[in-house]
Amino acid sequence: MHGNGIGKFQLFQLVKTVDRRSSIKTNNRFPCLFLQRQNLSNITIENCNVTGISAEAIALFNTKSATVKNCRITTKTPKSRNSYSVGLAVVYQKGSAPKATTKTKNVISLTNNTVKGGQQGIFVRSNASKKLGTVIVSGNTVSAKKGKKNAIKVLSAKKVKIAKNKTKKW
C-alpha cells in the first residue's frame, strides 16, 4: 500500500485491517495512517513499514480498541516540533472515552514494533472526561529524538502494562 499525497481522511475511512508487509509513506503534513471517527474499534495494523515525513507516521484518534504489531514506524519530523512529531499516537479526544468492559474489550495493544519519533516514539492519551481502558505496550524498540525518557508516554488509562521494551534516544 502506498500513500504519497493521500489526504487525511481518504486513507482509512472504512478499512479496519492493514497487513501483508505494506509500505506506506507520505510527504504531506498529515499522518500516513490517520483514523479519526468516533469510537473506532477492532483496528489491526500489522507487518507494515510506515514513514511520516512531516507528521506522525500513525495517528489513531477516538479509537476504542486497536492492535499495532510487528511494524516499523518512523516519523522524520524535527525534534524541535511540539506537534505532529510522534511516531505512533493513540489519542481519545471527543466526548467521554469508552468504558472498559469485558464485552467491549477496549484494549490498545502495541507490541513488537520498532518505532522512531520526535517528541515521543509512542504516545497514548485520553483528552476526554474518562480514561482509556487497557493499554499494553510490550516488546517494542522505541526511540525519540527528544530523549530516552520520552520514548514511551501512556497517560489517562485505567490499566497500563508497559513491559520488555527497549528505549533510546534517536
Side-chain angles (χ1 to χ4, degrees):
M1 200 179 242
H2 297 280
N4 288 338
I6 291 176
K8 79 177 185 179
F9 294 107
Q10 292 173 324
L11 187 56
F12 281 112
Q13 282 290 339
L14 300 173
V15 177
K16 285 195 171 191
T17 302
V18 178
D19 193 0
R20 307 278 195 266
R21 302 275 175 212
S22 298
S23 183
I24 302 168
K25 290 186 179 183
T26 183
N27 290 318
N28 62 23
R29 65 185 179 104
F30 301 115
C32 283
L33 299 182
F34 182 89
L35 296 168
Q36 185 176 12
R37 291 175 113 181
Q38 193 69 9
N39 296 323
L40 288 169
S41 60
N42 302 318
I43 303 300
T44 300
I45 302 170
E46 59 185 349
N47 303 318
C48 294
N49 294 317
V50 184
T51 304
I53 303 302
S54 61
E56 299 97 331
I58 297 177
L60 304 175
F61 293 131
N62 304 320
T63 301
K64 291 195 297 186
S65 60
T67 299
V68 179
K69 65 181 178 178
N70 301 321
C71 294
R72 295 183 59 81
I73 302 163
T74 305
T75 184
K76 295 188 175 181
T77 56
K79 74 176 179 179
S80 59
R81 186 180 288 176
N82 289 329
S83 58
Y84 304 112
S85 67
V86 176
L88 170 56
V90 181
V91 180
Y92 206 89
Q93 299 188 118
K94 297 181 179 181
S96 60
K99 187 176 181 181
T101 67
T102 54
K103 282 186 179 181
T104 58
K105 297 184 181 177
N106 296 329
V107 176
I108 304 294
S109 177
L110 313 173
T111 59
N112 301 319
N113 300 293
T114 300
V115 183
K116 294 180 178 180
Q119 286 289 322
Q120 292 91 22
I122 293 175
F123 182 74
V124 181
R125 178 182 183 147
S126 173
N127 293 329
S129 60
K130 293 184 181 174
K131 294 180 179 184
L132 290 166
T134 300
V135 176
I136 300 165
V137 181
S138 178
N140 301 290
T141 301
V142 186
S143 309
K145 291 179 182 177
K146 198 72 172 181
K148 181 178 178 175
K149 68 177 183 165
N150 290 318
I152 299 171
K153 295 284 184 182
V154 177
L155 309 169
S156 306
K158 289 181 181 180
K159 294 180 184 177
V160 178
K161 178 184 177 188
I162 299 176
K164 299 180 182 176
N165 297 292
K166 295 177 185 173
T167 60
K168 55 188 174 180
K169 183 175 180 174
W170 177 25

